[in-house]
Amino acid sequence: MLESEHDTADFHEVFSDHDKHNMKIYRKDSNSDEQPVFRLTMEVEGVAPFQIASLFSDENIKEEPDWCENCISCECIFEDKHCNIYRTLIDCEFLSNREFIDRKYWKHDPLTDSYYVMFVSADDHPDVMRDYPENDNVVRGKNYQSSYILRPLDDGRTGTKFLLINQSEFGGSVPNWIVKRFTTKPLSKFMMEIINRAKLV
């Protein structure tokens, strides 16, 4: 089940840094074996929503390894009229490399000048799974949801009100307590890499 941007129940704050665009990270823990859900909020002055969203366009997303330290590769492996499917290989530092195979949705709302980018696992796509089976060389993770919601700041300043909702499974035998403890730092780092790159757009 995908989390709604308006569903904030049961989240608790696990990280806050005023110097990083007032970044705050919240986490919702499940009572089952499901992975925790993270919500990240920021207000980024001087960077418009389009500048951030453009990093994930079909034209630019292949450049992610150029600005994201832990991204080894990002390639489009399937195209259709609704969304493309990408295979991303990630260096997880203290874990083995992970690959994610995701549908990518990218939408612009011209009335509010807001952008919506979402990555969702494509593990239910038979053709893609046939052509890209799991193998022993890399561990396959799964994005249940990785959604970026980018809106202009409310007060007329040039900038972006940034919301990320993420629920991912790292694959292998990584227990939930590892995910809870060690996700915050790389998530914060990745957001700053996004902002620093977007400033150049």
Side-chain angles (χ1 to χ4, degrees):
M1 178 179 176
L2 298 181
E3 291 285 334
S4 164
E5 63 175 300
H6 305 294
D7 180 13
T8 58
D10 301 322
F11 281 89
H12 59 279
E13 186 174 311
V14 294
F15 177 87
S16 179
D17 191 334
H18 179 75
D19 293 331
K20 292 182 177 179
H21 309 286
N22 199 26
M23 181 189 297
K24 294 183 179 180
I25 300 177
Y26 305 84
R27 190 182 75 220
K28 180 168 77 171
D29 300 323
S30 172
N31 293 325
S32 66
D33 293 332
E34 292 182 359
Q35 300 297 316
V37 182
F38 291 89
R39 290 174 62 94
L40 180 147
T41 62
M42 290 191 298
E43 290 194 354
V44 185
E45 288 191 62
V47 180
F50 169 75
Q51 291 175 266
I52 300 172
S54 67
L55 300 181
F56 302 104
S57 68
D58 290 332
E59 294 78 15
N60 295 331
I61 193 171
K62 61 182 179 293
E63 298 176 2
E64 185 173 339
D66 296 340
W67 54 264
C68 176
E69 181 180 356
N70 295 98
C71 182
I72 299 171
S73 63
C74 183
E75 59 176 330
C76 180
I77 59 174
F78 187 87
E79 298 183 22
D80 68 22
K81 62 182 180 180
H82 300 295
C83 68
N84 291 342
I85 295 177
Y86 288 84
R87 177 182 181 268
T88 306
L89 188 61
I90 301 294
D91 177 359
C92 289
E93 298 181 359
F94 59 91
L95 299 173
S96 301
N97 292 345
R98 259 56 179 174
E99 71 169 356
F100 293 85
I101 297 181
D102 299 313
R103 292 180 174 88
K104 178 180 71 70
Y105 300 90
W106 195 98
K107 178 183 177 182
H108 176 226
D109 179 359
L111 294 179
T112 61
D113 198 25
S114 300
Y115 291 82
Y116 305 87
V117 183
M118 183 167 67
F119 295 87
V120 180
S121 175
D123 62 356
D124 61 343
H125 195 295
D127 294 339
V128 171
M129 292 300 103
R130 180 197 63 223
D131 294 341
Y132 293 87
E134 295 190 50
N135 62 76
D136 295 333
N137 296 323
V138 64
V139 178
R140 179 164 298 172
K142 179 175 181 177
N143 271 323
Y144 293 99
Q145 176 184 13
S146 188
S147 298
Y148 302 78
I149 301 169
L150 310 164
R151 294 192 172 95
L153 294 178
D154 297 329
D155 56 9
R157 291 174 296 157
T158 299
T160 300
K161 195 172 183 179
F162 193 129
L163 170 63
L164 167 69
I165 303 173
N166 178 268
Q167 184 182 27
S168 299
E169 183 177 320
F170 285 89
S173 56
V174 181
N176 272 356
W177 72 267
I178 291 285
V179 176
K180 293 175 183 178
R181 182 173 180 180
F182 292 103
T183 296
T184 302
K185 183 177 179 180
L187 192 58
S188 170
K189 174 187 173 184
F190 181 51
M191 292 303 104
M192 294 308 299
E193 288 176 324
I194 289 175
I195 300 307
N196 291 335
R197 180 66 172 193
K199 290 177 180 178
L200 303 178
V201 174

